[in-house]
Amino acid sequence: MTGEADMRPLALLRRAERFFIVTVFLTMVALFALNVVGREIGGSVASGLTWIEEAVRLLNIFLVFGALGLALERGRHVGIDTLRRRLPDGMQRVAERIIDAAGCAATLYLAWLALELSRFVLMTGQRSPTLDIPMGWIYTAPVAGFCLLSLRYALSFFGVIDRFSAAPGASGASGEGGAA
């Protein structure tokens, strides 16, 4: 295992991810509240806020992909682990390493695909209808999310984090899972 000083960059990353997620979520709430008030007032106020629905949809994409790494680290992702948990300890560790290696490779590939898609869409010049921003920037959310996910798989593979014991229902899981 690594020392506490080695975990400082990871703790900073976790804090940055949480800050990003909370900021995006609160921004979505504030925009929806503003939209409700604008619709109650009506008229030109309501028509001037038509961009909010699209903005919130796009923010939701960034929210979901921004949370991928933390969700995996804390065992809050979808996984089928019935077979893995029934294996003897040694075989369980081997299965976990294979899962982490495959997950790391798959998410790096998905990040690369998302990057290529982002580049392609940016080159087309496509823009969002109400926000008038280049649509290619939306695909940077999967790039970042899959990179964060791949990082967590790699950290688990090398034993820096123990994402398997942090999973809900895992033997020895503390309920919340993962380090802060």
Side-chain angles (χ1 to χ4, degrees):
M1 279 297 167
T2 59
E4 195 170 310
D6 295 334
M7 295 300 285
R8 191 168 294 140
L10 186 54
L12 288 173
L13 176 63
R14 287 180 186 125
R15 184 168 289 166
E17 286 172 307
R18 284 193 306 258
F19 178 79
F20 175 77
I21 293 165
V22 168
T23 302
V24 169
F25 181 72
L26 292 177
T27 301
M28 290 169 61
V29 170
L31 287 173
F32 262 134
L34 178 63
N35 201 23
V36 168
V37 169
R39 286 182 184 198
E40 284 299 315
I41 295 171
S44 63
V45 173
S47 63
L49 298 176
T50 56
W51 58 271
I52 289 180
E53 288 184 39
E54 184 179 2
V56 170
R57 275 195 307 273
L58 299 181
L59 285 171
N60 192 41
I61 293 169
F62 281 89
L63 179 73
V64 168
F65 282 102
L68 288 179
L70 282 175
L72 181 72
E73 182 176 345
R74 293 180 178 209
R76 302 291 188 211
H77 62 289
V78 174
I80 302 171
D81 58 2
T82 307
L83 174 64
R84 181 183 54 81
R85 288 188 185 169
R86 291 182 184 208
L87 294 173
D89 282 345
M91 290 298 294
Q92 197 174 64
R93 302 294 169 252
V94 170
E96 290 169 354
R97 291 277 176 122
I98 292 170
I99 291 167
D100 285 337
C104 185
T107 53
L108 281 176
Y109 178 66
L110 289 171
W112 177 77
L113 287 177
L115 180 63
E116 291 300 310
L117 184 59
S118 180
R119 287 180 184 167
F120 174 76
V121 175
L122 283 170
M123 287 188 335
T124 67
Q126 183 182 0
R127 301 184 75 79
S128 72
T130 57
L131 295 175
D132 196 37
I133 61 171
M135 290 299 288
W137 289 110
I138 295 165
Y139 296 101
T140 61
V143 174
F146 288 132
C147 285
L148 290 170
L149 200 53
S150 182
L151 173 66
R152 291 319 199 296
Y153 277 120
L155 292 174
S156 179
F157 181 86
F158 291 111
V160 176
I161 62 172
D162 183 7
R163 70 181 191 85
F164 291 101
S165 66
S171 57
S174 62
E176 181 56 30

